Amino acid sequence: MPGCRCRKARAGRSDRRKGKAMDFGLNEEQRMIVDTTRAFVETELYPHEQEVERTGVLREDLRQELQAKAIAAGLYAANMPAEVGGAGLDTLTWLLYEKELGKANYALHWTTVCRPSNILMACEGDQRDRYLLPAVRGERHDCQAMTEPGAGSDLRGMRSFAREDGGDFVLNGTKHFISHADVADFAIVWVATGEEDTPRGRKKLITAFLVDKGTPGFTVRDGYRNVSHRGYNNMILEFDECRLPKSQILGEVHKGFEVAGQWLGATRLQVASTSLGRAERALGLALAYAAERKQFGQLIGKFQGISFKLADMAMELKAAELLTREAAWKYDQGTVTEADMSMAKLKATEVLAHIADEAIQIHGGMGLMDELPLERIWRDARVERIWEGTSEIQRHIISRELLRALGA
């Protein structure tokens, strides 16, 4: 790998902080990060894609090998602040890095070039040494456990509950669709711990807990078979009288949403950026094929039916990228809104679906064969409009903000 590292960007990041005009031209540090990440993805991850896609398994020995290479390349935990051993990237630079990683099979880039959850920054005291710092070093892995059967996007509707008992909390309930839980050493689990009266009726109070695998009453079992992100498994987490001391609370009792609001705000931008990476890869394959494939005596890219598709794909991709970069810039300025992030996530995920579909159409039947990554990109694109808030939820957030400005 080149000598450049994500961590070298710390020195230049202050130039993109508050008070600077919005400028999306990449500086030297950003170009270095993009080049380093792209080289790692193409050299270390692409060669293993077919194995993971065809077997549905990321071998543990391969996972450990690639993780060691990612750490050596300075790419591991690049989303985390410098003071805990991360790269300390500003949001825009971090998303440029995410875009390059997003081009590869999801299990390969997410499980080997780990980005620990930023919510671990809420760890205090002994929690930092047990959870935060080992996660940044690659010694431990986390997973987020929010979603429940029957609740979906309605987090206040979760049924998992923790009751206080003798100074401890006892957890009961089930979580599903929990990504990364098969390789995680601990889970960040969100459960109801009480209720409060609001103008719209009683609502549940939510608390986040750090729960180690092996804790009595905590079981992880296989989840559902799905078409997206082969090798990156979803699991079911069950809690049956799982007793935890108060020291396992992340943040404060009943303040789970406040903790999430402080540390998880940019996850929609992360989804947007990885989606942009896959869309860019699909467009690149479509362009290359249109420039070499001949039909009826000429390149298919010369046919208006193909050339117009390419033009629309490129335009939509640029629009999605500009929305995402603007939201990233505003995030660091402290001016980003929920609608900004929702627009970026919504546009990027829907553009990915459109470009993946059109790229296959341009390739014809060959686009659906697993010799090419297009069918994988097409399959994987579907879940992006569901997790981290469905497209419908994003539209609700955007319209709500528009109407609030008018007092509605």
Side-chain angles (χ1 to χ4, degrees), residues 19-34:
K20 303 293 287 185
M22 185 162 52
D23 179 6
F24 295 149
L26 303 191
N27 60 34
E28 182 181 350
E29 290 86 4
Q30 289 171 325
R31 287 193 296 270
M32 175 184 69
I33 289 168
V34 168

Side-chain angles (χ1 to χ4, degrees), residues 289 360 363-372 374-375:
Y289 190 74
I360 287 177
H363 279 77
M366 195 62 201
L368 288 168
M369 302 301 109
D370 70 358
E371 279 76 12
L372 294 174
L374 283 175
E375 60 87 24

Side-chain angles (χ1 to χ4, degrees), residues 244-368:
L244 298 173
K246 288 183 177 179
S247 60
Q248 296 305 109
I249 294 172
L250 184 62
E252 300 179 34
V253 177
H254 305 328
K255 301 294 184 181
F257 279 130
E258 286 83 346
V259 175
Q262 181 178 359
W263 294 109
L264 295 183
T267 54
R268 279 170 287 171
L269 298 183
Q270 185 177 37
V271 172
S273 204
T274 55
S275 295
L276 291 173
R278 264 169 288 156
E280 184 173 276
R281 187 176 179 187
L283 175 57
L285 289 166
L287 283 167
Y289 190 74
E292 66 182 26
R293 172 70 167 166
K294 287 188 175 181
Q295 288 282 277
F296 307 107
Q298 66 177 325
L299 295 173
I300 64 171
K302 298 290 187 179
F303 295 122
Q304 193 174 85
I306 300 298
S307 63
F308 281 17
K309 285 182 186 296
L310 295 171
D312 286 343
M313 293 157 73
M315 178 179 64
E316 291 299 314
L317 178 58
K318 188 162 192 175
E321 182 147 25
L322 287 171
L323 273 173
T324 304
R325 289 195 183 191
E326 181 198 41
W329 181 83
K330 291 173 74 173
Y331 193 92
D332 283 335
Q333 303 302 307
T335 60
V336 74
T337 66
E338 292 294 317
D340 290 327
M341 293 187 286
S342 288
M343 285 181 185
K345 197 266 186 183
L346 177 63
K347 183 66 174 179
T349 56
E350 295 199 345
V351 163
L352 169 59
H354 169 70
I355 289 178
D357 191 74
E358 291 286 57
I360 287 177
Q361 194 71 15
I362 289 169
H363 279 77
M366 195 62 201
L368 288 168

Side-chain angles (χ1 to χ4, degrees), residues 11 15 41 51 184 205 230 259 276 289 300 328 340 346 355 380 385 389 401:
D15 290 341
V41 167
E51 176 190 339
L205 296 164
R230 289 176 182 168
V259 175
L276 291 173
Y289 190 74
I300 64 171
D340 290 327
L346 177 63
I355 289 178
D380 288 355
R385 288 176 282 160
E401 198 162 297

